[in-house]
Amino acid sequence: MNEITLTINNRKVKAETGKTILEIARAEGIYIPTLCHDPRLKPYGACRVCLVEVEGAKSFLPACTTLVTEGMVVKTDTVSLYKIRRTVIELLLSDHPLECLTCESVGRCRLQDLAYELNIDEIRYRGEKHSYTVEDFNPFIERDHNKCVLCGRCVRICTEVQGCYVFEFANRGFETVTSTPFDRSLVETPCVFCGQCVSTCPVGALTGKLRKYKGRIWETLQTVTTCPYCGVGCRLRLYAKNGEVIGVSADLELGVNKGNLCVKGRFGYEFINNPDRLKVPLIKKEGEFVEASWDEALSLVAGKFSDIKMKYGADAIAGLSSAKCTNEDNYLFQKFMRAVIGTNNVDHCARLCHASTVTGLAMAFGSGAMTNSIDDIAEADTILVTGSNTTEAHPVLALEIKKAVWDKGAKLIVVDPRKIELAQMADVWLSQKPGTDVAVFNGMLNVILEEGLVDTEFIRERTEGFSKLKEMLSSYTPEKVEKISGVPAEKLIEAARLFGRAERASIIYSMGITQHSTGTDNVLSLANLAMATGNIGKPGTGVNPLRGQNNVQGACDMGALPNVFPGYQSVENEELRAKFEEHWDSALPARSGLTVIEIMDAALKQEVRALYIMGENPMLSDPDITHVKKGLEKLDFLVVQDIFMTETAELADVVLPGVTFAEKDGTFTNTERRIQRVRKAIEPPGEAKPDWQIICELASRMGYKNMNYNSSREIAEEIAGLTPSYGGISYLRLEKEGLQWPCPDDAHPGTPILHTQAFARGKGKFYPVEYRSPAEETDKDYPLILTTGRLLFQFHTGTMIRRNRGIDEISPIAQVEINPKDAKKYKIENGDKVTLATRRGRIEANARVTERVRDGVIFMPFHFREAPANVLTNPALDPMAKIPELKVCAVRIEKAKK
Ligand code: SF4
């Protein structure tokens, strides 16, 4: 790109070639009105509102599609332009219902703004008017064709950004409308209800139904915060009125999402004001919960913890912190467990999702986090997605993958047993038998090596241990890998060549890789692939684990793990322990504590007597729920702190009401290590309190003096002081945008890409990992493989998402995906009620016969309490990361008896 000079409204401005007049004018603060323009979309030039005068041009030119040139002379505000714009808007208004008194878009309607700007107080044009019925066929979006200005923004955003092709133009001339299949079955519609169409509609033609008649925009209190669902960490603007969150939008210029959201972020906010929210502390008396004062409940908890500590020792108490809570909540929770109780028995659900990432990447690179950034995906020329159903589990991040493929021509390799959406658009899709990932990636690397596609300079300069890996790889011939994994040899070679020849290849993975008894090996095999091809430390490359929940990265960073203090500082390191002992004014335990699964086992053996759970729901999220229930029931004392009466809270002795993300201040850290602000928008219901406040009050009742804070900001300051990678993080610096760790001091700009010059451990280390079969293999009693996962319209254990109207209309029941071949074999038809049985239990669900799964494998989501998949799953652990094998177990399926 070259720099040029042009003149706009008699002002000389510098610009880069390749930019439009509109872009340059906006960058210079020069206003040009628009209607069909949205920076997320390709320039369109349909509405003619942005016409400008360009010296020498035969006619007026649209600023949004005209590129700047050297010496160009532009005028944006002449009388002629004013007249044209006025005429355009008058013509639109001549067939537009002037229902501003009741229109949901009043106050944020471009047509209204333009009419005002252009002083249109009467419409000179009269003619035929449309009279369409308002469409109201789905729970989230209402469409009024009468208000449509045919700018095409909904059609384009659905096609260009989302790739759903739900909207199109139909008919011609005066009869032209945007058409959609909203009237089709909600379950079968291709619409993903992301609401991007609503977000881009400049008028009131497409509006969100949930906020209808709840408040005018100017009546609302607006708060910019961070999404409470997945780890992408989209920025949200909450609209609140009378203490209720009544709507959500996203700002075009903010965050990784830049105006985009998925159905959960945009429409999944009603849980905040759901009447089922816990509002007062509850104590179980004679098997029934009764309401209690904070004083009574906290005194009981403090007394019980103290008694158990006295009688059985501090390690008889354990705590589960929360990937849903803020960094400040998590920091205090682990501080409470360590400094007040005196145990390292603290863990959280990262153990169930990315423990193997933390272990594996720390071994290979020295840091267990996503190496690159979300924005950076667009720089890749090849993307390998494995074990991640990205469009459903991390929908907004998936838009970046789609953009790289569609707009920049990146090649896509998908390695996944199911034909997920990304597999359908992939250049190569490898459908491996679940649990055979190591063989597949060893096989790919073997081909890359054989064909001379490794980066020898990178291997020599930046890594160690390659010769041992090389020796081991030679046995992973494509033919052997085919026998193990079912991936045809020629497909494996094709994928290997694509990856090996790429200039910049990015690896994106998630729980399909990590939730195995070989999870750490799977991660190490991906790290080997990236390092051997030199795809680390530069834009468009990296090993990029996608974190499941909003703050699972932050909860790990904050030391809600049994072996590390905040910032992954080992509890077994004397010097580091002394640092925390001094700051926290308490003697700290030196031995690593128990992990999630070990805590449940210890509870069953009565080695753990009391458990404090903050914002986790192991009764749905953990493997082998029957075993979990037995463990929880064996406890002397169970405290659950949550926002709803979860399946786990039902078993508690005391339930403490916490608050949602909308009712507290703090920070979340997203999957790309970006720390972002969470801001209080409304007051909590009843007597519910922020989690950090509850922890502080409990600590003080247990006689601990060093946990007094007036705000979450004060906790964040303590975190920065004790956590080197968060050293430069402050609320002041996070005011507008987030910062990516490591950010060691106030002057540091944050780190978008890790390991650019050297790995965090010095040299990157190759580990020769051999293929090991899953802990449980199929046999004649359990002949199929069960794999579990997530759905777009659900989230985790459903605690929040299932308390939103509309969600259960679209995703009402747990469905078991089964291949037609297996369905025929077991005489199962689509929609049949089926029984699934494993060595741990049995459940019933509905069958969905589909080619999405390969034969021999069945898939089911784990979100539904009515059909809890984790009754079936295997708690066998990865020996290093202690993550359970949620992704593979042997199962039997049969038609349920009536
Ligand atoms: Fe929220 Fe994730 Fe959806 Fe973004 S992609 S809106 S963070 S659930």
Side-chain angles (χ1 to χ4, degrees):
M1 293 209 189
N2 297 321
E3 193 176 79
I4 55 164
T5 306
L6 69 155
T7 306
I8 306 180
N9 297 347
N10 301 320
R11 198 162 110 203
K12 289 250 182 289
V13 297
K14 300 260 184 234
E16 277 177 6
T17 53
K19 300 274 181 194
T20 64
I21 295 173
L22 182 66
E23 286 174 300
I24 300 304
R26 286 200 168 164
E28 292 292 322
I30 298 167
Y31 176 67
I32 299 176
T34 57
L35 185 61
C36 72
H37 178 75
D38 181 327
R40 290 173 287 178
L41 305 172
K42 295 191 184 106
Y44 195 53
C47 71
R48 318 314 274 176
V49 170
C50 71
L51 289 180
V52 291
E53 284 181 26
V54 176
E55 210 170 271
K58 289 194 186 117
S59 59
F60 299 123
L61 297 175
C64 69
T65 55
T66 307
L67 299 181
V68 290
T69 55
E70 174 64 43
M72 187 182 241
V73 178
V74 182
K75 290 247 161 63
T76 69
D77 57 358
T78 65
V79 173
S80 310
L81 290 171
Y82 170 79
K83 285 183 179 164
I84 289 178
R85 289 173 189 156
R86 228 183 116 102
T87 303
V88 170
I89 299 304
E90 273 188 84
L91 284 168
L92 287 174
L93 286 170
S94 69
D95 183 23
H96 191 90
L98 299 178
E99 294 172 357
C100 303
L101 287 177
T102 51
C103 180
E104 277 301 316
S105 289
V106 72
R108 53 200 157 100
C109 170
R110 278 304 287 147
L111 200 57
Q112 194 182 45
D113 292 345
L114 287 165
Y116 187 82
E117 276 170 36
L118 297 164
N119 322 137
I120 299 172
D121 46 16
E122 73 167 305
I123 297 155
R124 288 169 291 159
Y125 307 103
R126 298 271 179 272
E128 196 181 345
K129 289 202 168 221
H130 289 108
S131 178
Y132 297 107
T133 307
V134 175
E135 290 179 5
D136 179 17
F137 297 115
N138 72 83
F140 303 117
I141 302 166
E142 185 174 277
R143 183 166 59 177
D144 185 350
H145 285 299
N146 300 302
K147 293 176 186 165
C148 178
V149 291
L150 296 176
C151 63
R153 282 166 67 158
C154 55
V155 177
R156 290 182 287 139
I157 206 157
C158 192
T159 308
E160 290 174 21
V161 175
Q162 204 63 40
C164 282
Y165 298 87
V166 167
F167 286 87
E168 59 190 11
F169 283 116
N171 309 332
R172 290 186 162 246
F174 187 68
E175 302 304 326
T176 305
V177 286
T178 58
S179 139
T180 70
F182 279 168
D183 50 347
R184 287 170 34 188
S185 148
L186 280 181
V187 177
E188 294 303 324
T189 176
C191 181
V192 292
F193 297 102
C194 58
Q196 314 285 48
C197 53
V198 174
S199 79
T200 196
C201 179
V203 292
L206 286 159
T207 49
K209 280 170 64 177
L210 303 180
R211 65 193 294 171
K212 196 171 179 184
Y213 301 135
K214 291 220 161 162
R216 301 301 216 170
I217 190 140
W218 58 84
E219 298 171 324
T220 59
L221 191 69
Q222 296 180 27
T223 308
V224 174
T225 187
T226 306
C227 180
Y229 289 103
C230 86
V232 177
C234 294
R235 304 294 281 158
L236 306 180
R237 180 175 290 272
L238 301 186
Y239 299 84
K241 186 184 166 191
N242 298 335
E244 185 186 353
V245 174
I246 61 165
V248 168
S249 73
D251 294 6
L252 290 175
E253 70 280 5
L254 277 188
V256 294
N257 51 317
K258 298 191 177 53
N260 298 318
L261 292 172
C262 77
V263 60
K264 296 184 276 274
R266 198 181 300 281
F267 298 122
Y269 57 84
E270 287 190 315
F271 77 93
I272 301 165
N273 294 98
N274 187 291
D276 294 347
R277 282 284 304 276
L278 293 171
K279 300 182 189 74
V280 288
L282 302 170
I283 296 176
K284 200 174 266 167
K285 292 181 179 163
E286 292 167 11
E288 298 288 328
F289 281 117
V290 292
E291 294 188 358
S293 67
W294 274 107
D295 186 46
E296 190 186 355
L298 290 176
S299 297
L300 176 65
V301 176
K304 283 279 188 188
F305 281 171
S306 301
D307 289 351
I308 289 170
K309 184 176 167 180
M310 183 95 75
K311 202 161 164 197
Y312 302 104
D315 285 341
I317 304 174
L320 298 184
S321 202
S322 173
K324 291 194 200 75
C325 290
T326 61
N327 288 326
E328 292 74 4
D329 295 332
N330 277 288
Y331 173 82
L332 278 203
F333 191 90
Q334 60 84 38
K335 180 176 174 181
F336 174 81
M337 293 308 297
R338 295 189 159 113
V340 184
I341 300 288
T343 180
N344 281 317
N345 289 343
V346 55
D347 204 6
H348 72 289
C349 69
R351 183 69 48 200
L352 307 175
C353 59
H354 274 287
S356 34
T357 291
V358 175
T359 306
L361 293 189
M363 286 163 70
F365 303 157
S367 164
M370 184 162 166
T371 61
N372 288 48
S373 300
I374 295 172
D375 269 355
D376 179 83
I377 295 169
E379 305 291 321
D381 56 33
T382 294
I383 301 168
L384 189 160
V385 178
T386 181
S388 160
N389 187 1
T390 327
T391 58
E392 299 206 35
H394 299 91
V396 170
L397 186 140
L399 301 182
E400 295 299 315
I401 300 174
K402 290 178 175 177
K403 193 158 78 185
V405 173
W406 292 333
D407 296 355
K408 305 223 168 164
K411 300 288 179 207
L412 181 63
I413 304 165
V414 172
V415 184
D416 199 290
R418 293 167 72 219
K419 196 168 188 182
I420 54 173
E421 187 187 344
L422 287 182
Q424 292 168 37
M425 56 185 271
D427 294 275
V428 188
W429 169 44
L430 309 183
S431 172
Q432 85 283 34
K433 198 170 130 193
T436 60
D437 309 86
V438 165
V440 171
F441 299 120
N442 280 352
M444 273 179 69
L445 191 47
N446 188 26
V447 174
I448 287 170
L449 194 59
E450 289 285 309
E451 302 203 357
L453 298 172
V454 290
D455 187 335
T456 42
E457 195 188 325
F458 187 91
I459 294 169
R460 192 180 55 244
E461 301 292 322
R462 304 269 322 259
T463 67
E464 60 189 19
F466 186 66
S467 54
K468 276 198 180 151
L469 171 69
K470 197 172 158 186
E471 227 172 82
M472 184 217 71
L473 284 177
S474 58
S475 69
Y476 286 86
T477 61
E479 294 68 30
K480 173 177 162 180
V481 173
E482 178 169 343
K483 273 202 192 113
I484 298 172
S485 67
V487 170
E490 67 279 7
K491 283 265 184 195
L492 185 90
I493 295 169
E494 196 186 341
R497 285 180 179 155
L498 213 49
F499 193 89
R501 288 176 185 157
E503 189 87 352
R504 295 177 308 279
S506 170
I507 296 173
I508 293 171
Y509 73 91
S510 197
M511 283 159 260
I513 285 295
T514 57
Q515 290 178 329
H516 292 272
S517 57
T518 57
T520 305
D521 290 352
N522 292 353
V523 172
L524 288 170
S525 67
L526 290 174
N528 289 343
L529 191 58
M531 286 191 291
T533 50
N535 280 303
I536 285 284
K538 56 185 186 184
T541 67
V543 179
N544 299 299
L546 306 184
R547 296 306 196 113
Q549 298 203 60
N550 55 324
N551 199 33
V552 71
Q553 180 67 56
C556 292
D557 298 347
M558 291 301 105
L561 297 168
N563 57 340
V564 286
F565 293 118
Y568 307 96
Q569 300 173 82
S570 172
V571 296
E572 295 181 7
N573 179 310
E574 264 181 48
E575 209 179 307
L576 293 171
R577 202 169 57 251
K579 174 176 95 170
F580 283 93
E581 284 181 336
E582 190 190 332
H583 278 85
W584 293 348
D585 194 19
S586 178
L588 299 174
R591 207 164 37 107
S592 292
L594 300 174
T595 62
V596 167
I597 305 293
E598 290 168 338
I599 288 170
M600 296 305 169
D601 289 343
L604 199 58
K605 290 189 235 153
Q606 292 202 300
E607 287 162 10
V608 162
R609 297 277 179 158
L611 183 56
Y612 180 12
I613 301 179
M614 173 176 79
E616 295 245 317
N617 191 10
M619 278 298 295
L620 275 189
S621 63
D622 287 18
D624 194 0
I625 292 171
T626 315
H627 175 78
V628 172
K629 187 162 187 258
K630 280 186 199 153
L632 294 178
E633 285 173 345
K634 258 288 174 21
L635 291 166
D636 293 351
F637 193 58
L638 174 63
V639 183
V640 174
Q641 187 168 306
D642 215 313
I643 56 172
F644 289 105
M645 182 60 76
T646 63
E647 291 72 16
T648 306
E650 282 164 12
L651 301 177
D653 296 289
V654 177
V655 178
L656 304 173
V659 303
T660 68
F661 80 112
E663 295 143 356
K664 64 180 160 190
D665 285 304
T667 53
F668 292 155
T669 304
N670 79 348
T671 190
E672 54 164 10
R673 300 169 277 105
R674 187 180 298 278
I675 303 136
Q676 308 189 109
R677 276 302 314 273
V678 175
R679 293 188 179 89
K680 180 174 172 176
I682 56 169
E683 290 300 323
E687 296 171 24
K689 293 186 189 201
D691 296 274
W692 65 265
Q693 276 182 20
I694 301 172
I695 300 165
C696 289
E697 288 180 29
L698 200 49
S700 108
R701 271 161 211 272
M702 290 187 71
Y704 184 66
K705 302 268 183 286
N706 200 1
M707 223 186 251
N708 299 310
Y709 308 91
N710 294 310
S711 66
S712 63
R713 183 186 293 263
E714 288 182 7
I715 305 169
E717 284 164 6
E718 184 171 314
I719 295 168
L722 287 168
T723 315
S725 53
Y726 277 61
I729 303 296
S730 66
Y731 282 13
L732 190 63
R733 292 189 74 194
L734 299 180
E735 189 55 33
K736 186 151 183 356
E737 282 289 18
L739 283 165
Q740 286 169 283
W741 66 256
C743 179
D745 57 59
D746 291 348
H748 197 284
T751 310
I753 303 178
L754 298 178
H755 319 304
T756 50
Q757 304 302 321
F759 284 92
R761 67 180 295 282
K763 289 206 164 189
K765 186 165 168 117
F766 288 105
Y767 285 84
V769 281
E770 294 276 10
Y771 164 72
R772 284 186 288 124
S773 48
E776 190 175 80
E777 298 212 76
T778 54
D779 57 21
K780 70 175 179 14
D781 293 330
Y782 302 98
L784 298 172
I785 296 173
L786 170 70
T787 190
T788 61
R790 294 166 188 243
L791 300 177
L792 171 65
F793 294 104
Q794 295 292 346
F795 185 75
H796 216 247
T797 63
T799 307
M800 301 189 307
I801 197 74
R802 295 195 75 189
R803 288 178 167 96
N804 292 288
R805 266 185 300 163
I807 294 291
D808 270 10
E809 262 183 76
I810 293 176
S811 175
I813 46 166
Q815 289 185 318
V816 184
E817 291 181 4
I818 179 167
N819 185 278
K821 279 191 205 155
D822 292 323
K824 194 168 168 204
K825 190 165 161 192
Y826 297 104
K827 298 187 178 48
I828 290 166
E829 290 188 12
N830 202 31
D832 276 353
K833 177 80 74 194
V834 290
T835 303
L836 302 172
T838 68
R839 292 188 175 87
R840 290 153 293 281
R842 54 201 293 133
I843 59 168
E844 286 192 353
N846 285 51
R848 181 170 183 212
V849 179
T850 169
E851 299 275 2
R852 236 162 102 93
V853 276
R854 49 179 292 157
D855 56 318
V857 176
I858 60 176
F859 166 85
M860 94 169 283
F862 76 102
H863 314 289
F864 296 88
R865 68 179 286 168
E866 302 86 343
N870 281 327
V871 164
L872 307 171
T873 48
N874 189 355
L877 298 181
D878 175 294
M880 282 180 280
K882 312 268 179 80
I883 190 169
E885 187 144 75
L886 292 157
K887 281 289 182 279
V888 190
C889 70
V891 69
R892 181 172 67 237
I893 188 168
E894 59 204 13
K895 212 164 161 167
K897 296 195 175 64
K898 291 201 173 136

